[in-house]
Amino acid sequence: MGAAMSKAWSPDSWQSLEARQQPDYPDPAALTAAESELASYPALTSLSEAGRLKAQLAQAQAGRAFFVQGGDCAESFAEFSPANIDSSFRLIAAIADTLGTASGLPVIASARMAGQFAKPRSTGTEVKGGESLPAYRGDIVNGIGFDPASRAPDPARMFRAYAQAYATLSRLRTLAHDEGTAVYTCHEALLLPYEQALVRTDAESGAAWGSSAHFLWIGDRTRFPGSAHVEFARGLTNPLGIKCGPSLTPGVLLQLLEALNPDREAGRITLISRMGAGIVSNALPPLIRAVEASGHPVLWSCDPMHGNTVKSANGYKTRPFERILDEVRSFCAITRSEGAIPGGIHIEMTGQDVTECTGGSARVTEQDLGDRYHTHCDPRLNPAQAMELAQLVATLLAR
Ligand code: PEP
Ligand code: CO
């Protein structure tokens, strides 16, 4: 644990540490003004909702519930519509229903919606035809169009993201009420100025929570020791996720657990393994063994998407459905053989009938990818593929 980690936490204590994947706002005064305005807006979620989710995740850690996270890789302003919210909600509810019926367990459902806007990128700039522009970092930061005006990071975009998140959450709450399926929200707590502006403090207990969602996670590119993102998250009472990719070592994972959950609170930490079908069998067991030996309570969840991204021959970023299924199968077998519990699944999917991942029973081919490829970031499962995956997980949980 770095010295900085043990110091007093405040919503802005991350600012003295290394914050990766943040935009360079050309107008710092506009950023400051946007932050203080956002800080005066209503919380999107409540402390008690986050607490209830944490208690449910503690049940999942004990094998008495299962956790499903699903939704867009990146929400966008262009794809915002009631029809899209409703179809994604219904898909998550259908997956939860399938898994609940098969496993006999209560299913905790959480949508990558109402705040999943900011994206980490492998390079800070994109070069096309000799022109170099800032990389697209999600609609909350800049525009996807390849021109200087679109790509300039604009803090005013945070207001539109907040408004869309507010409206989406409102619609999710209505659907949950009408259809009797509670759905929590979750996203990567990546854009720290936005996340900080939405920290709220409970007047009675003094507890701080990230009110931008119920569940927040730290991405694979920002979860290094001494990171601003870890510092920010550690002071929040929300349940937290840590993405665990191939470069994560057991030693670093234990440092992260000590920083984020020093009191070893049940339900606090979900470890989201996203290794890739080819290497999960080698990469995951040492992490599970280290965590088990430490006694840290965690929920093991599988993200079979992010380690299985490939480029198709015709130039699309895609994910072969078979590799996704393979990683889920391996994950379940490995957690069980290591004495841990496969307690969750984390997927990128949409209620729209897109052609972004190849394979599945509808046999999306590389040639089909161009038909309905709409994602603003990573390729998502369409409803048929997502339900097929849910059937596999149901079979694995029912054993
Ligand atoms: C994501 O979930 O969209 C993402 C960027 O994941 P990771 O941090 O695991 O790469
Ligand atoms: Co993604």
Side-chain angles (χ1 to χ4, degrees), residues 73 112 119 306 319 348 378:
C73 180
R112 288 178 60 120
K119 298 312 300 174
H306 287 89
R319 289 163 169 159
E348 289 183 343
D378 293 335

Side-chain angles (χ1 to χ4, degrees), residues 27-112:
D27 183 351
L31 174 63
T32 307
E35 287 170 321
S36 48
E37 185 168 340
L38 269 177
S40 73
Y41 285 7
L44 293 169
T45 63
S46 74
L47 180 63
S48 69
E49 289 170 324
R52 192 178 336 125
L53 174 58
K54 195 157 48 173
Q56 292 174 4
L57 291 171
Q59 291 297 309
Q61 288 179 344
R64 293 192 289 267
F66 192 80
F67 188 34
V68 176
Q69 293 175 281
D72 284 327
C73 180
E75 288 176 285
S76 67
F77 298 160
E79 285 197 317
F80 174 50
S81 74
N84 285 347
I85 297 168
D86 289 16
S87 64
S88 289
F89 171 89
R90 296 215 159 85
L91 182 54
I92 294 167
I95 293 169
D97 194 55
T98 299
L99 297 181
T101 303
S103 65
L105 297 173
V107 175
I108 308 156
S110 182
R112 288 178 60 120

Side-chain angles (χ1 to χ4, degrees), residues 308 310-314 316-325 354-370 373 379-382 385 388:
N308 296 308
V310 298
K311 197 158 192 174
S312 69
N314 49 352
Y316 287 95
K317 203 167 148 188
T318 189
R319 289 163 169 159
F321 190 62
E322 261 317 313
R323 302 245 302 244
I324 293 168
L325 295 187
V354 297
T355 52
E356 298 173 3
C357 295
T358 53
S361 51
R363 293 202 182 76
V364 177
T365 64
E366 291 202 344
Q367 276 59 49
D368 297 331
L369 291 175
Y373 193 98
R380 303 161 292 182
L381 299 175
N382 63 29
Q385 291 169 328
E388 210 176 322

Side-chain angles (χ1 to χ4, degrees), residues 92-324:
I92 294 167
I95 293 169
D97 194 55
T98 299
L99 297 181
T101 303
S103 65
L105 297 173
V107 175
I108 308 156
S110 182
R112 288 178 60 120
M113 290 169 82
Q116 176 49 40
F117 288 104
K119 298 312 300 174
R121 306 314 308 237
S122 44
T123 52
T125 53
E126 185 179 346
V127 182
K128 226 189 244 177
E131 193 178 8
S132 172
L133 291 174
Y136 171 64
R137 292 187 178 277
D139 279 3
I140 195 170
V141 172
N142 57 3
I144 200 166
F146 192 78
D147 57 85
S150 300
R151 289 296 172 90
D154 178 1
R157 285 177 164 268
M158 293 196 289
F159 298 124
R160 187 157 172 197
Y162 173 91
Q164 182 168 325
Y166 204 101
T168 301
L169 191 56
S170 164
R171 182 65 193 155
L172 290 176
R173 291 191 197 281
T174 301
L175 290 165
H177 179 265
D178 289 355
E179 307 197 5
T181 309
V183 171
Y184 295 99
T185 59
C186 61
H187 63 258
E188 179 177 349
L190 181 65
L191 184 63
L192 291 173
Y194 179 79
E195 299 299 335
Q196 183 193 320
L198 290 180
V199 171
R200 298 290 177 269
T201 305
D202 183 56
E204 218 165 279
S205 63
W209 81 101
S211 83
S212 63
H214 300 107
F215 178 104
L216 295 169
W217 75 83
I218 308 174
D220 196 48
R221 292 175 178 83
T222 49
R223 47 107 188 106
F224 59 98
S227 94
H229 290 82
V230 173
E231 171 61 17
F232 175 72
R234 82 178 169 98
L236 308 176
T237 46
N238 306 61
L240 301 173
I242 306 171
K243 287 290 200 96
C244 302
S247 67
L248 182 60
T249 62
V252 165
L253 178 53
L254 294 183
Q255 285 181 54
L256 295 174
L257 291 174
E258 281 301 317
L260 294 169
N261 194 19
D263 299 332
R264 305 188 173 211
E265 185 189 2
R268 164 77 162 169
I269 302 287
T270 297
L271 296 179
I272 306 164
S273 167
R274 36 84 82 223
M275 297 296 183
I279 68 160
V280 61
S281 319
N282 290 325
L284 187 55
L287 298 181
I288 298 178
R289 285 173 205 158
V291 173
E292 298 267 297
S294 77
H296 267 283
V298 303
L299 179 64
W300 288 102
S301 178
C302 176
D303 165 358
M305 313 297 296
H306 287 89
N308 296 308
T309 313
V310 298
K311 197 158 192 174
S312 69
N314 49 352
Y316 287 95
K317 203 167 148 188
T318 189
R319 289 163 169 159
F321 190 62
E322 261 317 313
R323 302 245 302 244
I324 293 168

